[in-house]
Amino acid sequence: MDDGRPGEKMRLTEEQRFFFDIKGYLVLPNVLDEDLVERLKDYIHILETAPQSLPPADRGLPGGPAAELIDHAAVMGALEFAIHEDRDKLRLESAHCSIRTAGDTPPLGPHAGGRTVNPNYSYQYHDGRIFAGMTRVVFELNPVSHGAGGTYFMPGSHKANFPIPPNVKNIGHALFETYGCPAGSVVVFSEAVCHSSAPWLDESQSRIALFYAYNHINLRHHKPAFNPDVVAGLSEPRRRFFHEVYHRLWDSRPERDPVGVHRASRQGGAM
């Protein structure tokens, strides 16, 4: 059972905001403390090997200690810059763990990149703010050596005006770059930037990474797949990240007649 309080937020620095906007991704090193990293790794091991040994509210992500990541201060600072400054307009629509070992097959090649009218993949700037659509947050629970299998990005491709040529869309091309980081680091990226998995080359350890996908309250990309017992077990502030896709103003208004016919009162109420 999650009894956590809503996280504060750590605002991005001017340099970090510039970096995210121009490249489409941002690496925040050493965000999670060592104790939380170890608790997360232990929890993931149990989820993989003996989930029924856990209470129902912890039998899936983002339950157990993974709930602490939902509104982590560093995550909120990035998302309120990238998606919306009002936390009630943020949704968590997907959470999964990727465990990679040396020699396995990368799950996804280069994808996304380029301007689009699809709001999930659209990256816009207006009145001093960016609107990045779906934004992923990666929590790296083991150290990642540079070039050893972390996510690859084609920086700036979220603003590209032309399709990416096929011969360029491979992680061996000079336009792609990646990162190295210590355990407990966080990578935030817009789904609009071209990105790719890569072969994991580190034979000394696995890559253990949690991927959380956030979106604006008015948008959805993934089919909902959260365990309802897990969501019900979250604290009330964290359950607010799992609202359906609609504007929150309707929460304060009476339910409409399901027949769909509405007669305005003399005081108004219909357009």
Side-chain angles (χ1 to χ4, degrees):
M1 177 70 72
D2 165 41
D3 57 359
R5 297 179 179 179
E8 298 297 323
K9 64 180 177 182
M10 298 168 55
R11 294 186 181 275
L12 297 182
T13 65
E14 182 178 2
E15 182 179 274
Q16 289 170 332
R17 293 195 298 270
F18 177 79
F19 193 102
F20 181 85
D21 179 56
I22 200 167
K23 289 205 168 189
Y25 78 98
L26 180 67
V27 179
L28 302 172
N30 295 312
V31 168
L32 309 180
D33 62 52
E34 185 176 344
D35 174 71
L36 177 55
V37 169
E38 291 306 314
R39 287 190 290 122
L40 286 166
K41 289 163 69 172
D42 290 343
Y43 172 62
I44 290 166
H45 177 71
I46 297 173
L47 278 182
E48 186 181 23
T49 59
Q52 296 306 311
S53 67
L54 294 167
D58 293 342
R59 292 177 190 167
L61 293 169
E68 299 177 38
L69 306 179
I70 296 172
D71 56 356
H72 190 282
V75 174
M76 291 298 96
L79 296 179
E80 290 176 17
F81 169 71
I83 299 178
H84 204 285
E85 59 194 3
D86 181 354
R87 190 175 301 189
D88 280 340
K89 290 186 172 66
L90 301 176
R91 292 179 59 253
L92 176 62
E93 62 170 54
S94 174
H96 74 274
C97 178
S98 175
I99 302 176
R100 305 283 311 284
T101 56
D104 66 7
T105 301
L108 284 172
H111 56 288
R115 295 184 184 273
T116 177
V117 296
N118 182 332
N120 283 297
Y121 305 103
S122 179
Y123 187 97
Q124 304 291 332
Y125 174 88
H126 185 68
D127 285 346
R129 282 195 49 81
I130 62 170
F131 300 89
M134 187 165 66
T135 302
R136 294 200 187 263
V137 180
V138 185
F139 303 91
E140 298 283 6
L141 303 186
N142 273 341
V144 178
S145 298
H146 190 277
T151 304
Y152 272 69
F153 301 100
M154 183 186 289
S157 57
H158 57 308
K159 299 182 179 185
N161 291 308
F162 297 96
I164 302 172
N167 64 308
V168 174
K169 213 167 189 177
N170 70 83
I171 62 173
H173 195 279
L175 288 179
F176 276 90
E177 65 183 40
T178 187
Y179 57 89
C181 64
S185 297
V186 170
V187 183
V188 184
F189 67 93
S190 168
E191 190 68 21
V193 71
C194 183
H195 55 284
S196 176
S197 56
W200 185 255
L201 305 178
D202 191 340
E203 297 183 355
S204 67
Q205 61 184 353
S206 300
R207 183 192 188 192
I208 305 176
L210 288 163
F211 286 75
Y212 283 22
Y214 292 83
N215 216 332
H216 190 278
I217 188 65
N218 295 147
L219 300 174
R220 173 189 285 158
H221 172 75
H222 296 88
K223 182 178 181 179
F226 291 110
N227 183 329
D229 291 334
V230 173
V231 176
L234 297 172
S235 63
E236 190 279 332
R238 288 171 178 157
R239 287 199 301 272
R240 294 165 73 174
F241 286 87
F242 298 85
H243 276 291
E244 275 296 331
V245 181
Y246 66 97
H247 198 291
R248 290 289 306 282
L249 67 85
W250 296 110
D251 284 344
S252 61
R253 297 190 177 185
E255 292 291 327
R256 285 181 177 260
D257 184 339
V259 174
V261 178
H262 177 67
R263 181 185 293 274
S265 66
R266 290 184 179 275
Q267 289 74 33
M271 300 193 332

